[in-house]
Amino acid sequence: MTHGFGPVAAPDAQIRAAAQQRQAQLTKPGGALGRLEELGNWVAACQGVCPPKQFERARVVVFAGDHGVARHGVSAYPSEVTAQMVANFLGGGAAVNALAAVAGATVRVADISVDTDTDPQIGKHKVRRSGGAIDREDALSTEEVQAALSAGIAIADEEIDAGADLLIAGDMGIGNTTPATVLIATLTDTEPVAAVGRGTGVDDDGWARKVAAIRDAMRRARPIAKDPVELLRVAAGADFAAMAGFLAQAAARRTPVILDGVVVTAAALVAEDLAAGASAWWLAGHRSTEPAHTLALTRLRLEPLLDLNMRLGEGSGALTALPILRAAVATLADMATFAEAGVSTAEPAAEDSVSGANADDEGGSSGTAVPSSASDSSTGVSADGTVHESPDTKPDLTK
């Protein structure tokens, strides 16, 4: 079952070509802005307009959920920390809040499966408390995985209908790198020891327990690896299913997304199976220190913008990349052309020397960028779970 998703159409190729032509007319040597040029072209293609528009409502949705496997020593922190951090998000005191304020994005928290009662304002789409311990039991029932997918789709629709022009999925859940690694190692046919990282910082004994749990969960996951919904039900959890639905629906609604770390990218791998072609609408914000993250990015053919040894989650890596995406939009949209500025273009015979003189400025590989959006009130929580912080910046789109 694919939960109603079909193949997703790619961003507009004609607009991308128009953006490439505009890049050649701007007051700079060709390719001198490196990957920023590719990012700007990608945003233009996603928006269907050239020059592209600066993001006005970048939104981060943090999907929160607990995992039964965390009770078996795979994390350095107890499961109670999930609910405590959710409260911290709502109070505006977490990294995601600080980074969103800088990047011009606003934050929403969605309790999908936290193992306690949370603020009613964020529990509209709650599926259940926690999930089964995936090394020995299914994470969800058939009804629950369908409810979680529907929750993610509904959240994407709510945000896009409210004007979001760039989306970021964040995560919060103690023990969630264990199911993330199970999904990625299963879908990339990788042995557990080659994919398992330290997560929140487990010691050697904790790492060994984590490897064993992932190995056992993968035995249960491999037979159903080609069925994305069943894989989420057996080996992931409600938060992962909701993120997969959210990412697939954002692509189906032609809205760019900046991916965060290993947890979100694990959900993205499944979302690509749910909605073939969805990954064309995603940008990898960063590469985390978790080995499984690189495996997933390679499978999705996404080149991360940043590699800063981050491993926090919450959407932190994606938000750190967002200002780069904004810069890409600004240069493509706001720079003058040679004709507008009255600047002479390079003589044909001189092009090589001009390019050579600027060779150091042209380094960069293809990639995507991140959007941001600004909040407009002092810290607080509104009815849809939106965290409001002091506003200074406006949101951006990326891919």
Side-chain angles (χ1 to χ4, degrees):
M1 177 174 182
T2 59
H3 213 81
F5 291 108
V8 174
D12 193 315
Q14 290 186 330
I15 295 295
R16 188 190 293 266
Q20 291 171 336
Q21 291 176 353
R22 177 173 170 80
Q23 294 281 9
Q25 298 166 10
L26 299 178
T27 50
K28 59 179 175 59
L33 287 176
R35 193 173 176 189
L36 284 183
E37 297 185 15
E38 298 171 9
L39 292 172
N41 298 347
W42 175 76
V43 174
C46 289
Q47 294 180 353
V49 62
C50 180
K53 304 170 186 175
Q54 192 55 260
F55 303 114
E56 295 182 353
R57 195 172 189 271
R59 275 290 259 182
V60 186
V61 180
V62 181
F63 292 83
D66 280 306
H67 297 271
V69 72
R71 297 191 294 268
H72 302 289
V74 299
S75 175
Y77 291 85
S79 294
E80 290 78 10
V81 170
T82 301
Q84 292 164 3
M85 282 302 300
V86 165
N88 192 27
F89 298 151
L90 297 179
V96 64
N97 306 102
L99 292 168
V102 169
T106 53
V107 179
R108 173 180 178 177
V109 183
D111 173 4
I112 303 298
S113 54
V114 178
D115 195 20
T116 188
D117 292 332
T118 57
D119 190 315
Q121 295 170 333
I122 66 170
K124 173 183 177 182
H125 296 289
K126 187 159 187 166
V127 173
R128 59 172 285 169
R129 285 189 171 197
S130 192
I134 58 173
D135 57 336
R136 60 200 73 190
E137 62 183 330
D138 294 344
L140 303 168
S141 70
T142 299
E143 294 74 19
E144 287 166 344
V145 73
Q146 295 295 339
L149 282 164
S150 295
I153 293 167
I155 291 169
D157 284 339
E158 289 164 8
E159 294 303 329
I160 295 166
D161 290 346
D165 49 10
L166 175 69
L167 292 172
I168 293 173
D171 67 276
M172 181 63 229
I174 296 302
N176 65 6
T177 60
T178 295
T181 305
V182 171
L183 292 177
I184 293 168
T186 299
L187 291 171
T188 61
D189 195 23
T190 303
E191 289 301 314
V193 291
V196 178
R198 297 279 175 171
T200 50
V202 291
D203 58 18
D204 289 346
D205 289 341
W207 183 85
R209 289 190 296 270
K210 187 174 181 179
V211 170
I214 289 170
R215 177 201 63 212
D216 292 345
M218 286 179 66
R219 287 187 184 132
R220 306 181 71 254
R222 282 183 176 127
I224 41 89
K226 294 189 182 300
D227 183 335
V229 175
E230 190 69 358
L231 184 62
L232 291 166
R233 185 187 75 77
V234 170
D239 50 348
F240 283 85
M243 283 187 283
F246 175 85
L247 295 169
Q249 184 69 357
R253 297 275 314 259
R254 305 184 68 82
T255 303
V257 174
I258 298 173
L259 300 180
D260 193 43
V262 67
V263 173
V264 172
T265 310
L269 268 184
V270 182
E272 175 67 15
D273 285 344
L274 285 169
S279 60
W281 294 88
W282 306 334
L283 166 69
H286 80 122
R287 185 193 311 278
S288 84
T289 59
E290 288 289 308
H293 194 208
T294 293
L295 294 170
L297 291 173
T298 300
R299 173 59 64 91
L300 289 169
R301 299 181 180 180
L302 295 176
E303 182 67 26
L305 281 184
L306 301 173
D307 191 344
L308 300 177
N309 294 322
M310 297 174 70
R311 55 180 174 84
L312 177 62
E314 302 180 11
S316 57
L319 283 166
T320 302
L322 175 55
I324 298 174
L325 189 57
R326 288 188 179 279
V329 173
T331 53
L332 179 54
D334 299 339
M335 285 181 67
T337 64
F338 286 107
E340 290 167 343
V343 174
S344 299
T345 58
E347 295 291 339
E351 283 180 355
D352 290 344
S353 61
V354 172
S355 298
N358 290 277
D360 289 344
D361 298 327
E362 295 179 9
S365 54
S366 66
T368 18
V370 196
S372 68
S373 99
S375 22
D376 34 35
S377 65
S378 56
T379 302
V381 190
S382 61
D384 67 352
T386 298
V387 179
H388 297 286
E389 301 160 357
S390 359
D392 280 326
T393 34
K394 293 201 170 184
D396 279 56
L397 298 173
T398 113
K399 167 101 172 90

